[in-house]
Amino acid sequence: MYSLKTKRIKLKKELFASSILWSIQDGDMVSINKIIAAYLTSLNQQDAFTLIKLFGEKRVLVVLSKLEKYTSAQDYQEAMDQIFYVLHPEEYRSRVPQKSVQDILSNLTQRDIDTLLLSMNGEEILAYAHELNLSGTHLYYLKQLIRFNKKIPL
């Protein structure tokens, strides 16, 4: 994790699941706050995990609070939920009502797949997804979420 005193780092795009900073060359010096802000505006659970791991909870939440007035309430809440899940997965699961498998598969999030994997294995989830005739892209993303679950130390 980088110190709060560190302001700029060399960008390592391979650390992130999505490539938000496509206009910046890999290895270029970039403001940490710029990296955090860019990923918070289009956050996925894998990148939320990476942001917290690299830069810490405090720094990520400070940047998010500065973005609040420029972000829709729904997107802001989604980012908060993702960050809270990274930090406190058990508390998140006890606080949020369990969704049906069909609801989870129609709106994929890492935290919902992680919760579902507590009661089903990956093969069962994929079999259910095939029964629902999910698109190839959707199935591919689902497989990524199932695979990523094994990387998160919960």
Side-chain angles (χ1 to χ4, degrees):
M1 183 163 55
Y2 291 96
S3 159
L4 286 173
K5 294 178 183 179
T6 306
K7 302 294 181 203
R8 297 170 58 83
I9 61 168
K10 285 186 178 183
L11 180 61
K12 295 178 185 173
K13 291 184 177 186
E14 73 271 4
L15 296 176
F16 296 95
S18 56
S19 100
I20 303 292
L21 298 170
W22 55 268
S23 63
I24 300 172
Q25 294 286 329
D26 198 38
D28 283 356
M29 293 298 288
V30 182
S31 159
I32 289 175
N33 287 352
K34 181 176 183 169
I35 294 169
I36 295 170
Y39 279 94
L40 286 175
T41 59
S42 185
L43 194 59
N44 60 60
Q45 198 66 57
Q46 292 96 330
D47 291 334
F49 178 77
T50 301
L51 289 175
I52 299 294
K53 182 178 170 188
L54 290 175
F55 309 120
E57 170 186 1
K58 182 178 179 180
R59 187 178 233 167
V60 171
L61 290 173
V62 165
V63 173
L64 181 58
S65 71
K66 291 177 182 177
L67 293 173
E68 184 175 11
K69 60 184 172 185
Y70 305 107
T71 309
S72 73
Q74 183 179 3
D75 289 347
Y76 181 81
Q77 186 58 50
E78 177 63 19
M80 287 296 292
D81 286 347
Q82 289 184 27
I83 291 166
F84 185 76
Y85 178 74
V86 168
L87 298 169
H88 311 285
E90 295 298 325
E91 188 177 339
Y92 178 86
R93 283 194 282 270
S94 69
R95 195 177 68 156
V96 176
Q98 177 67 34
K99 298 177 183 176
S100 72
V101 176
Q102 189 167 355
D103 286 345
I104 291 171
L105 295 178
S106 65
N107 185 23
L108 295 172
T109 67
Q110 185 70 55
R111 58 190 180 277
D112 289 336
I113 294 300
D114 291 348
T115 301
L116 190 56
L117 283 165
L118 295 173
S119 60
M120 297 174 75
N121 67 41
E123 292 79 26
E124 292 171 321
I125 295 169
L126 290 172
Y128 196 90
H130 283 292
E131 288 176 23
L132 294 175
N133 292 321
L134 296 182
S135 72
T137 306
H138 207 80
L139 282 172
Y140 176 76
Y141 185 53
L142 175 59
K143 288 175 186 177
Q144 285 182 309
L145 295 177
I146 291 169
R147 231 177 280 128
F148 189 75
N149 170 271
K150 293 170 180 57
K151 296 179 185 177
I152 298 177
L154 297 177

